[in-house]
């Protein structure tokens, strides 16, 4: 398949215990559709989205296509606390070839639906935030039009830019909102960490027009945890399933320098972990992705380690 690359076992290295004490000893590298995926028990599938075409179109710093493998290398070294009946699979990368981002998004959609059909929990590693469009449509393919899917985006940006001049990493949720509007179906979208200095007035107006719920970054902190809990619980009650997408550029660059659009004014990991805990307790979380990992600008693998720790937390809390 032109837009698919097999998993690379050589990425999964670390301390050797011979007792599966580390994730590189637990993970199974296999291709999508393999018979190994039919094992009983809980199953987690890691799928990369190796693409920065959308970031380049959005005038961001390119380099996110190497994000998935960089996250894998850091995840490999982390300790394994998964039960024996929980299976972890690395399923390789969807690749963007010759700038064909829309084709990569469609491939991602098909593969996410396939993972769900095989009863795997999808964790998509990116890659530009344009992957959210493909990831969401994979969920729609599987759950159908009757189920409501709520999108919770940890991000500095709405990513609600008009796509009149083409699709980019800044347009995925605008595209989804427009499609929901045409289908006369609800658009459930919650943004946590929005910055005024990263979104122009038109984007705030677009968010209002689509009925987007959001918490600005100045209020997205542990000091306002009670308010955040109320907003999250109210949002989760309204939907059947929750899809979480974490844009690493929402974090302060003190934690995440290796992103397409860094900022020292971002949020902290603590409030994200607390929010994820609440979402996980709802039992409605059906998919997760990590966007905008850009190793070209990372320092001491700091951002990759943050991304790996977020993935580690979620898959051990499912």
């Amino acid at each position: 398949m032109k837009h698919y690359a097999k998993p690379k076992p050589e990425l999964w290295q670390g301390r050797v215990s011979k007792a599966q004490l580390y994730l590189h000893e637990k993970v199974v590298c296999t291709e999508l559709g393999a018979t190994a995926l039919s094992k009983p028990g809980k199953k987690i599938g890691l799928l990369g989205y190796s693409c920065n075409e959308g970031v380049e179109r959005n005038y961001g710093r390119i380099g996110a296509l190497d994000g998935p493998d960089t996250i894998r290398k850091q995840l490999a070294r982390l300790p394994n606390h998964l039960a024996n009946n929980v299976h972890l699979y690395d399923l390789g990368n969807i690749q963007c070839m010759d700038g064909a981002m829309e084709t990569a998004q469609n491939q991602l959609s098909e593969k996410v639906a396939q993972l769900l059909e095989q009863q795997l929990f999808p964790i998509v590693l990116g890659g530009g935030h344009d992957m959210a469009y493909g990831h969401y449509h994979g969920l729609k393919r599987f759950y159908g039009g009757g189920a409501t899917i709520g999108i919770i985006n940890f991000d500095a940006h709405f990513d609600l830019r008009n796509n009149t001049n083409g699709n980019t990493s800044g347009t995925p949720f605008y595209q989804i909102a427009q499609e929901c509007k045409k289908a006369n179906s609800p658009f459930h979208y919650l943004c946590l960490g929005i910055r005024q200095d990263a979104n122009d007035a038109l984007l705030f107006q677009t968010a209002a027009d689509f009925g987007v719920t959001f918490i600005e970054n100045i209020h997205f902190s542990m000091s306002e945890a009670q308010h955040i809990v109320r907003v999250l619980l109210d949002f989760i009650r309204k939907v059947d399933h929750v899809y979480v997408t974490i844009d690493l550029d929402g974090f302060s660059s003190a934690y995440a320098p290796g992103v397409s659009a860094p900022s020292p004014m971002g949020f902290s990991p603590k409030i994200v972990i607390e929010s994820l805990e609440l979402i996980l307790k709802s039992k409605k979380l059906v998919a997760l992705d990590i966007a905008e990992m850009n190793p070209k600008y990372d320092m001491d693998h700091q951002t990759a380690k943050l991304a790996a720790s977020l993935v580690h937390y979620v898959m051990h809390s499912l």
Side-chain angles (χ1 to χ4, degrees), residues 48-69:
Y49 179 76
S50 182
C51 178
N52 57 209
E53 174 67 19
V55 174
E56 186 171 5
R57 294 182 192 181
N58 201 32
Y59 307 108
R61 305 193 300 182
I62 60 172
L65 81 167
D66 295 319
D69 288 353

Side-chain angles (χ1 to χ4, degrees), residues 248 251-258 263 266-270 298 302-304 306:
L248 293 168
F251 290 95
S252 166
S253 52
Y255 306 106
S263 171
F267 44 70
S268 74
K270 176 64 173 173
D298 209 3
Q302 189 172 337
T303 314
L306 171 62

Side-chain angles (χ1 to χ4, degrees), residues 42-85:
K42 289 185 178 180
K43 294 175 285 190
I44 300 164
L46 302 174
L47 181 63
Y49 179 76
S50 182
C51 178
N52 57 209
E53 174 67 19
V55 174
E56 186 171 5
R57 294 182 192 181
N58 201 32
Y59 307 108
R61 305 193 300 182
I62 60 172
L65 81 167
D66 295 319
D69 288 353
T70 304
I71 297 171
R72 285 183 175 97
K73 287 179 181 179
Q74 298 305 319
L75 191 59
R77 302 173 183 179
L78 297 184
N80 167 40
H81 301 290
L82 297 171
N84 290 335
N85 67 339

Side-chain angles (χ1 to χ4, degrees), residues 19 61 98 150 180:
R61 305 193 300 182
D98 304 319
C180 288

Side-chain angles (χ1 to χ4, degrees), residues 7 283 291:
K283 303 298 182 183

Side-chain angles (χ1 to χ4, degrees), residues 25 44 62 120 158 171 214 232 241 257 271 293 296:
E25 298 175 306
I44 300 164
I62 60 172
L120 277 79
F158 284 116
T171 66
F214 64 92
L232 274 167
H241 309 292
I271 190 59
M293 174 66 228
K296 183 177 180 180

Side-chain angles (χ1 to χ4, degrees), residues 146-201:
T148 55
I149 300 171
I151 304 168
I152 300 179
N153 181 22
F154 294 87
D155 202 341
H157 308 93
F158 284 116
D159 288 341
L160 285 169
R161 292 188 180 278
N162 188 299
N163 67 333
T164 301
N165 295 319
N167 305 320
T168 73
S169 62
T171 66
F173 303 112
Y174 179 86
Q175 294 171 254
I176 294 169
Q178 287 286 57
E179 290 170 0
C180 288
K181 185 178 179 180
K182 289 177 182 177
N184 197 28
S185 60
F187 175 55
H188 296 288
Y189 182 36
L190 169 62
C191 297
L192 300 172
I194 292 296
R195 292 188 0 240
Q196 272 203 352
D197 63 340
N199 300 270
D200 59 37

